[in-house]
Amino acid sequence: MTKTIIGLDKLKSEKLVEELNLLLANFQLYYQNLRGLHWNIKGKNFFELHAKFEELYTDSQMKIDLIAERVLTLQGEPLHTFEDYMKIGSVPIGKSISKDEEAITLVLNSLTELLKIEREILETSDDANDEGTNSMMSDFIAEQEKTVWMLNAWLAG
């Protein structure tokens, strides 16, 4: 069995790189959605949501960098073109959304898709004994589950 520079099985790491690149592509699309929501939101909840979307896209930007750096740590190459992101991305794309409930629904649907991918990565990283990726995915999942709960509470109000 061939090992990576950090002592993981090379074939299992290659599978993780593939899955992490899928997550990276989806986070890039999610990030761009959040920028659009931040710029275009209107209505009585403008101030609240404008700030919330900025908080979410700032957080996403940090996660994007962490994912890309993890790909590099696993000796892969992070995807870096929108052509690649659009080809493999699965989060819904929002265009010209300015209504609060529609915007929050887009964020919730995106987070649901990201959580699905992260849970798949968690299984793969567990199988590969990759604690670094495991830890990152666990942190992402816990944080995003809380965001899903809060946004659902906002919609119910």
Side-chain angles (χ1 to χ4, degrees), residues 1 3 18 25-26 33 40 53 55 88 101:
M1 158 179 21
K3 299 277 188 178
E18 184 180 316
N26 279 285
N33 278 340
N40 294 309
F53 296 140
E55 173 191 323
I88 66 169
E101 289 187 16

Side-chain angles (χ1 to χ4, degrees), residues 5-155:
I5 58 173
I6 59 172
L8 298 175
D9 178 277
K10 191 161 180 67
L11 290 176
K12 290 180 179 183
S13 291
E14 288 171 1
K15 172 79 169 133
L16 277 166
V17 164
E18 184 180 316
E19 290 182 9
L20 286 165
N21 266 323
L22 176 64
L23 183 62
L24 178 63
N26 279 285
F27 253 103
Q28 289 281 24
L29 297 174
Y30 173 61
Y31 169 82
Q32 197 59 44
N33 278 340
L34 291 166
R35 294 301 303 233
L37 296 174
H38 173 76
W39 294 328
N40 294 309
I41 197 71
K42 293 178 177 45
K44 294 178 182 169
N45 293 309
F46 170 82
F47 291 106
E48 171 189 1
L49 292 178
H50 185 75
K52 180 50 116 179
F53 296 140
E54 183 173 3
E55 173 191 323
L56 290 172
Y57 76 65
T58 300
D59 178 69
S60 293
Q61 194 172 33
M62 290 174 31
K63 283 181 172 65
I64 286 165
D65 197 51
L66 289 171
I67 296 164
E69 288 175 351
R70 190 67 193 165
V71 167
L72 290 164
T73 301
L74 295 171
Q75 297 179 270
E77 181 180 347
L79 296 178
H80 54 275
T81 68
F82 274 97
E83 177 184 13
D84 288 335
Y85 304 152
M86 293 299 294
K87 193 183 319 178
I88 66 169
S90 55
V91 296
I93 303 296
K95 184 174 180 181
S96 303
I97 295 174
S98 61
K99 295 182 178 149
D100 56 4
E101 289 187 16
E102 187 179 356
I104 295 298
T105 299
L106 176 64
V107 173
L108 282 168
N109 290 338
S110 297
L111 286 171
T112 298
E113 185 61 26
L114 292 171
L115 284 163
K116 179 180 146 193
I117 297 165
E118 290 161 356
R119 287 187 177 106
E120 290 171 6
I121 293 170
L122 193 59
E123 285 183 30
T124 304
S125 62
D126 188 48
D127 179 56
N129 294 318
D130 178 359
E131 189 56 38
T133 302
N134 235 341
S135 176
M136 185 169 65
M137 288 306 106
S138 293
D139 290 348
F140 285 12
I141 289 168
E143 186 179 317
Q144 290 162 350
E145 286 175 341
K146 184 175 180 181
T147 301
V148 166
W149 160 64
M150 290 177 159
L151 293 175
N152 270 307
W154 186 93
L155 277 175

